[in-house]
Amino acid sequence: MNDTAVPEATTVAGNRVILTIYAALVGLAGLMGFLIGIFLEDLQPVAMFGVVDVPPTPVGLAVYGAITIAVVLGVFLGLVMVVSRRA
């Protein structure tokens, strides 16, 4: 049995699973930001990446949470994808 041969369908399905999990985590971060904005009071504005002030509204915190998680996880996901292609 040849262990080095990986069917293309497995690679595509694996990428789809990882991207689905990534999208779900970004959506969950947005939802949590929205809920924090609804239920907590007297919140201060947050600075996204230290540059853009985001208002502490439900929508503002949802955007902040989703974009922050998308960028942080996206960097690591991109690195993993690059390394896995070279392996």
Side-chain angles (χ1 to χ4, degrees):
M1 177 176 240
N2 188 359
D3 291 333
T4 59
V6 177
E8 185 65 28
T10 303
T11 304
V12 172
N15 287 343
R16 184 173 294 152
V17 168
I18 296 300
L19 291 175
T20 301
I21 293 170
Y22 172 76
L25 289 173
V26 170
L28 182 63
L31 175 65
M32 295 307 292
F34 188 79
L35 292 174
I36 288 171
I38 288 174
F39 292 113
L40 295 182
E41 296 178 3
D42 298 329
L43 296 172
Q44 301 296 320
V46 292
M48 187 176 311
F49 305 115
V51 178
V52 179
D53 284 338
V54 179
T57 63
V59 173
L61 292 177
V63 169
Y64 173 78
I67 290 176
T68 303
I69 292 297
V71 170
V72 170
L73 288 180
V75 167
F76 289 115
L77 180 61
L79 290 173
V80 167
M81 292 175 89
V82 167
V83 169
S84 71
R85 287 183 186 152
R86 291 184 182 219

